Structures are given as C-alpha cells and as structure tokens.
Amino acid sequence: MINASILYSLAIILTTISFIKDRKKTKEALLKSWKMFCNILPEVLTIMLFVGLSLSLLTPTMVSSIIGEHSGVKGIILSTLIGSVGLIPSFIVFPLGETLVQNGAGLPQVAVFMSTLMSVGIITLPMEQKLFGRSFAYARNASGLLMSLLFAYIIWLVMV
C-alpha cells in the first residue's frame, strides 16, 4: 500500500512542476479546485457528523443482536437497510465487520452490511447528484445494492 506521505509529496512535486511550466493555468486550477472544495464542504461535514453519530449510537453488540446468525432473510434485509444509510470507507468497515462476527452476527448479514456500507449511500445521494448527476447517482447506488445482495446470497450458499 502506498503511504500517505508519498502521495502528498508526489502531489506537491507535480503541482510545483505545473506551476513552473504555466503559472496562470496552475493558479486557475487551484482556485477552481478550492471553490469546488468549498461547495461540497457542508455536505461532507454533514456526512461525517452523521457517520460519527451512527457509529457511536449503533454499537457492534447492538447491531449483531439484530443481525445474528439465526436472523435469516430478515437479518439480511435489516443489514441492507442499515448499511445503505451512509457511505463509509473500508478501513472503518473491515474492523467493524470483524467485531460483528466476533459478537455473533451471521456471515451473510455481515457481508451485505459491509458491502452496502462501502457501496451504497443514501445520506451521500444528494451530494452525488450534485456532483455526478441524478441518473448516475441512482444507477451507482442501485448497482451497489444489487451486487451487495448477490454477494450476501453467494456467502449464504457457500458458508451456511
């Protein structure tokens, strides 16, 4: 895996090269990216707040009691709904999934929960629509949901 300091260094070096090559275009690009950042900042902060509150309120023990090994299709549906709320990065999702399995959650339920957490985002949908357009945002979320359910079904067939 690439270290963050390497990526930051590379970004600084390439920005410097761009600045040396054409100052005007580089300044315009930096100003445009700053404006884009400022435009999406309120949505990003709202998402971060919601995810933080969700992770603190929905403890792994509480979630695993709802989506335990014997919850079956009901647990898969609940996992899909809970996981579809927010879009969370994998470095948070994988340890959460491990904790859920250790606390008695079923593998298909955890599989669909983790998959939807990383690929479907109801909370992020307005921001996605703003940045990428309505049809793309809906298509991406729908395909993420379908693939997550397919993934859970395969896990159910193989592991249970």
Side-chain angles (χ1 to χ4, degrees), residues 10-83:
L10 186 62
I12 291 169
I13 291 168
L14 292 175
T15 304
T16 304
I17 292 171
S18 174
F19 189 76
I20 291 168
K21 189 172 180 180
D22 191 344
R23 290 178 185 218
K24 184 180 178 187
K25 283 185 180 181
T26 305
K27 285 180 183 180
E28 288 174 8
L30 290 173
L31 283 173
K32 189 174 183 178
S33 64
W34 178 253
K35 287 178 184 177
M36 289 175 65
F37 173 74
C38 290
N39 284 338
I40 66 167
L41 187 61
E43 287 92 354
V44 170
L45 291 176
T46 303
I47 292 165
M48 290 173 63
L49 177 68
F50 182 78
V51 167
L53 286 173
S54 298
L55 290 175
S56 65
L57 296 175
L58 297 173
T59 62
T61 307
M62 181 177 154
V63 174
S64 66
S65 68
I66 297 169
I67 60 170
E69 291 181 21
H70 304 291
S71 62
V73 174
K74 179 183 171 187
I76 289 175
I77 292 169
L78 286 171
S79 297
T80 303
L81 293 174
I82 294 169

Side-chain angles (χ1 to χ4, degrees), residues 68-118:
E69 291 181 21
H70 304 291
S71 62
V73 174
K74 179 183 171 187
I76 289 175
I77 292 169
L78 286 171
S79 297
T80 303
L81 293 174
I82 294 169
S84 295
V85 173
L87 196 61
I88 300 176
S90 61
F91 65 88
I92 295 172
V93 173
F94 290 132
L96 178 62
E98 179 185 10
T99 305
L100 290 172
V101 170
Q102 289 174 351
N103 287 320
L107 290 177
Q109 292 84 350
V110 172
V112 74
F113 178 66
M114 290 173 60
S115 184
T116 54
L117 272 175
M118 291 184 289

